[in-house]
Amino acid sequence: HQLLLTREWTTTMTSAGGDSTMISIESGETPGSGRSYLPPSSPGIGGSRGGNFILPLGGRGVNTGQNAISEYLMRLVQFDQMDFQYTYSQMVSLCRFAPGELYKATQIRRKIKNQWARDDPAFVAILMGMIAISSLAYCITFGVHGILHLLRVVVGSVVVDFLGTGCIMATATSFVANRYLRVQRVMTTDQQVEWLYAFDIHCNGYFPLFVLLYPVQFFLTPLLLQSDFVATVLANSLYAFAFIYYHYVTVLGYSVLPFLRDQNRFFYPVGVILIFYFFACLLNFNACKIMLNWYLG
């Protein structure tokens, strides 16, 4: 947990206009230490005691909107600019069922860079690679014939299931949050949910879902594909837990935004998931069999 916070605080930022002089942070300091991160003669930025905001000097500030998305997409192929070690530590937090640690680092990123969303696409790049490799492993194990069928499974898992669903979820949830959950306060800056941050939340929720429904399911298929009722309950429980945890991570992601209210509404789809789970078990519909037949059959 402390590693996540320390690395987020020690990240430097370059403005969109090119190189700029940076305010440095003392090595080894962590938030809440009570020490100022600016020279003693410098006032705090943004009214924060101790000046624990880090902004570029002489730059044009942080890109938002379409500029931020364009820059994000360009960095997606610049692997030498990605912080893979920090990304792995985030994924470990999600696997340990501790997404709160991730969103504490998100709050610090807001203070440092004046944005909620990640500007490092390493999380997306790594997850796309993991999905592609896992899909290929399923194709090889279950004897998918034909290069076109193999490409359909692998590309579909990455482009449709992950990226396509992510774009839809980010657009829908950010619209709902900005339209219905935003709090209008007097004498405060009007804030909105960034689309990139909504996509970040999707990625955070999708990673544990991927772990459960790709690697874990892969090794449990000899058990889950049995014809008895116990196998059906185990398979459906695995799918139900994966999707419920996805929505739990979504709720946590929006809960850190101080300008929103009633974020628990994003947990409402869990009721639908539980209804589907109950009737699927009652009618002996095995989710594992259905999904494998859909993709690999």
Side-chain angles (χ1 to χ4, degrees), residues 30-242:
T30 54
S33 63
R35 296 188 60 177
S36 173
Y37 292 94
L38 291 176
S41 59
S42 301
I45 301 176
S48 176
R49 183 179 179 181
N52 54 356
F53 282 66
I54 301 178
L55 297 175
L57 302 179
R60 291 183 294 177
V62 179
N63 287 333
T64 57
Q66 294 182 349
N67 291 336
I69 296 175
S70 300
E71 183 178 345
Y72 187 89
L73 292 175
M74 287 188 295
R75 292 192 61 187
L76 195 57
V77 294
Q78 299 174 354
F79 298 104
D80 58 330
Q81 301 294 323
M82 298 181 185
D83 190 345
F84 292 107
Q85 182 180 355
Y86 177 52
T87 300
Y88 289 136
S89 65
Q90 292 178 313
M91 291 179 169
V92 169
S93 295
L94 291 170
C95 288
R96 291 192 297 107
F97 302 107
E101 296 180 0
L102 208 65
Y103 290 120
K104 287 180 181 178
T106 297
Q107 292 174 311
I108 293 173
R109 184 189 308 117
R110 170 65 179 180
K111 293 181 179 180
I112 296 174
K113 299 185 178 182
N114 196 32
Q115 68 181 45
W116 296 99
R118 300 184 186 100
D119 56 2
D120 183 0
F123 196 101
V124 175
I126 293 174
L127 186 50
M128 288 173 59
M130 289 181 174
I131 294 172
I133 294 172
S134 299
S135 300
L136 184 61
Y138 271 94
C139 291
I140 295 174
T141 303
F142 288 91
V144 171
H145 300 290
I147 187 67
L148 291 180
H149 190 184
L150 187 146
L151 288 176
R152 181 179 67 83
V153 173
V154 175
V155 176
S157 298
V158 175
V159 177
V160 179
D161 295 349
F162 173 49
L163 296 178
T165 304
C167 291
I168 294 173
M169 290 297 296
T171 302
T173 55
S174 61
F175 172 79
V176 170
N178 289 325
R179 184 71 178 270
Y180 301 106
L181 306 183
R182 203 152 50 99
V183 177
Q184 300 289 346
R185 292 190 176 93
V186 181
M187 302 298 291
T188 58
T189 303
D190 187 33
Q191 299 186 69
Q192 290 191 344
V193 177
E194 308 162 2
W195 188 91
L196 270 180
Y197 180 67
F199 186 76
D200 266 356
I201 294 176
H202 163 74
C203 294
N204 294 340
Y206 198 90
F207 178 72
L209 184 145
F210 155 77
V211 171
L212 291 170
L213 300 186
Y214 281 76
V216 173
Q217 179 182 248
F218 181 83
F219 292 105
L220 292 180
T221 47
L223 174 63
L224 300 179
L225 294 180
Q226 298 296 321
S227 301
D228 54 80
F229 181 73
V230 174
T232 298
V233 172
L234 290 177
N236 294 343
S237 299
L238 180 66
Y239 274 80
F241 179 77

